[in-house]
Amino acid sequence: MNNAYHGWTLQPGAMTLSDLRAAWAAHFRVKLSQDAAAPIAASAALVKTIVDKGDPAYGINTGFGILAKAHIPNEQLEQLQRNLILSHAVGCGELISDAVVRLILLTKIGSLARGYSGVRPLIIDTLIALYNAGVMPAIPVQGSVGASGDLAPLAHMTLAILGVGPVRYKGRIMDAGEALALAGIEPVTLAAKEGLALINGTQVSTALALHGLFMAERLVEAAMVTGALSVDAARGSDAPFDARIHAVRGQPGQIAAAAIYRELVKGSAIRASHLVGDERVQDPYSLRCQPQVMGAVMDLVANAGRTLLIEANAVTDNPLLFPEDGAILSGGNFHAEPVAFAADTLALAIAEIGALAERRIALLIDAHLSGLPAFLVREPGLNSGFMIAHVTAAALASENKSLAHPASVDSLPTSANQEDHVSMATFAARRLGQMAHNTSVIVGIELLAAGQGIEFHRPLASSEHLEHVHAQLRKRVAPFDADRFFAPDIEAARQMVIEGELSASCKELFTVLHP
């Protein structure tokens, strides 16, 4: 994509993670690159040739799945495709957010536009019109096992261009037919192969996993900032961040993480105040081993990003058409195992970010470990301080442990055992949103706790980076002098975490996370 014509030009097969992050964060108009027209037209022409010849071809003039032996007459092909969408729109649960629906639409447009799916230009043009108008299909999040495509949720997506079912438009839920009329978009009648091309594919699981990826990136940044702030609040050592330690191990994420921590704490007067005369020999692991843990997290996030970027640009429906030699091939690109594995590793990463942050909160509120007032309040006993805020963090960290159980190791056969091994990628990706929310609360609580710890070291200052973060926190949340209604403070801190505010002044430190 690029910023020509005050919008984006989508080049099929060439979207970047930066493109996808931008689409996730905000809605911009999009158009298709001109060189996509020829491949789209060629694959649509091949479908027409097959229909005209009348030879059985799966997905074009046959039934689906185990019903593939049923030959469908030409005069019923449009009804076949419409029936396919109506019968497969069986999702349930809450609706997928607009940010993720944008990713679903973009990746589906990009996949179809590569010219291997046999859909007419009209179908892609209508999807683009839907996207540009902000007509967001109402897609329930549950109902896909992540193989044979994300059939149910993509069927709900497809209903929108038929003018059937609900959509979100201009801030409210309305009938798709009404929304299309308001937006000036004509509903389509599906031709041979088009319904199957629209619902086969991994776009829903991939979009949900991309959402998890982008949230994980923000959590990594925020947790490294709060972790560095906790080092100063606990008067910890920066010696474990020395580059020589990490160079001899050689793990790339660890080396990069240590460099970030060194920069975050550089110039701290709090650190300088206890370089001499501090009787402690080593800090607890939650402070000392941050480069090792967060570096490994960074590596997992980067690996998941590479897999998901490939999938976001991939052709994953079935069967596929190859106009250069007239071949129509049935395969299994709809099987979302790569997405499931990527989502499972992101779950591990998100859980560990929260687990490590929870341990630092526990350290800070323990007067014996931190040297700070018990529960980070001046009159403990009369005041409970951060006692129960830590309990909330512990509850969410524990919840994430259960959610982190790999989804990809599960499989239930479907479609009368024709689809006898599935990836469960859609659930694997879906649960990342809840896990990211949990971890954002934990890191937000650490921000409050570490910020409170810094108050007890005044007039000494932390580093320039960390003092900026502390000042931003104090614009939203006052120091904790005595017990008060605490939940609004936690929510304010969580918002800072999830909005990327903690790393806003030192974004250049985290460029390694944004290829």
Side-chain angles (χ1 to χ4, degrees), residues 435-472:
M435 295 185 70
H437 171 82
N438 291 348
T439 295
S440 71
V441 175
I442 298 168
V443 176
I445 292 171
E446 184 187 13
L447 172 62
L448 295 170
Q452 183 68 12
I454 293 294
E455 302 281 353
F456 293 113
H457 299 310
R458 296 303 190 211
L460 295 175
S462 186
S463 70
E464 181 179 351
H465 287 311
L466 298 179
E467 283 296 337
H468 175 81
V469 170
H470 191 270
Q472 295 304 110

Side-chain angles (χ1 to χ4, degrees), residues 14 25 83 120 134 160 285 303 402 412 423 444 455 513:
N83 286 351
R120 294 166 295 162
Y285 290 179
N303 288 337
S402 294
L412 280 174
S423 71
E455 302 281 353
L513 275 172

Side-chain angles (χ1 to χ4, degrees), residues 27 73 104 111 173 192 207 218 262 284 341 346 349 362 405 416 447 476 478:
H27 179 249
I104 294 169
S111 177
I173 299 284
R218 290 187 177 182
R262 288 196 301 275
F341 284 165
L346 283 172
H405 184 279
L447 172 62
R476 298 202 188 191

Side-chain angles (χ1 to χ4, degrees), residues 227 230-231 234 236 240-241 283-291 356 360 363:
S230 288
V231 169
F241 307 149
D283 292 328
Y285 290 179
S286 61
L287 299 180
R288 185 178 8 141
C289 297
Q290 288 187 80
L356 194 64
R360 291 191 296 266
L363 183 155

Side-chain angles (χ1 to χ4, degrees), residues 112 114 140 170 182 243 267 283 285 297 309 315 320 332 343 353 369 411 421 423 428 491 494:
L112 297 178
R114 288 187 59 184
K170 294 188 180 299
L182 290 171
D283 292 328
Y285 290 179
V297 165
L309 178 59
V315 181
L320 298 177
I353 294 168
L369 290 174
S411 178
H421 182 275
S423 71
E491 177 57 22
R494 188 191 75 81

Side-chain angles (χ1 to χ4, degrees), residues 249-404:
R249 190 178 200 184
Q251 293 288 354
Q254 179 179 325
I255 292 168
I260 292 170
Y261 282 111
R262 288 196 301 275
E263 286 298 314
L264 287 172
V265 301
K266 186 169 69 176
S268 167
I270 296 173
R271 172 57 180 141
S273 72
H274 62 95
L275 280 171
V276 178
D278 194 330
E279 296 180 354
R280 295 172 298 175
V281 177
Q282 291 183 328
D283 292 328
Y285 290 179
S286 61
L287 299 180
R288 185 178 8 141
C289 297
Q290 288 187 80
Q292 287 79 4
V293 176
M294 295 303 291
V297 165
M298 288 168 62
D299 285 338
L300 276 186
V301 170
N303 288 337
R306 282 188 284 271
T307 295
L308 294 175
L309 178 59
I310 292 169
E311 197 72 5
N313 284 295
V315 181
T316 54
D317 61 294
N318 180 67
L320 298 177
L321 297 103
F322 296 87
E324 59 271 19
D325 61 2
I328 176 167
L329 302 176
S330 285
N333 280 1
F334 50 67
H335 198 297
E337 197 81 347
V339 180
F341 284 165
D344 279 347
T345 57
L346 283 172
L348 297 177
I350 291 169
E352 280 298 272
I353 294 168
L356 194 64
E358 182 275 326
R359 287 292 79 206
R360 291 191 296 266
I361 299 166
L363 183 155
L364 291 173
I365 66 173
D366 187 333
H368 299 292
L369 290 174
S370 68
L372 298 167
F375 301 109
L376 300 172
V377 69
R378 291 199 181 276
E379 295 186 68
L382 175 62
N383 296 294
S384 295
F386 280 72
M387 180 190 296
I388 306 304
H390 169 250
V391 171
T392 294
L396 297 178
S398 179
E399 184 176 308
N400 274 354
K401 292 177 185 179
S402 294
L403 288 170

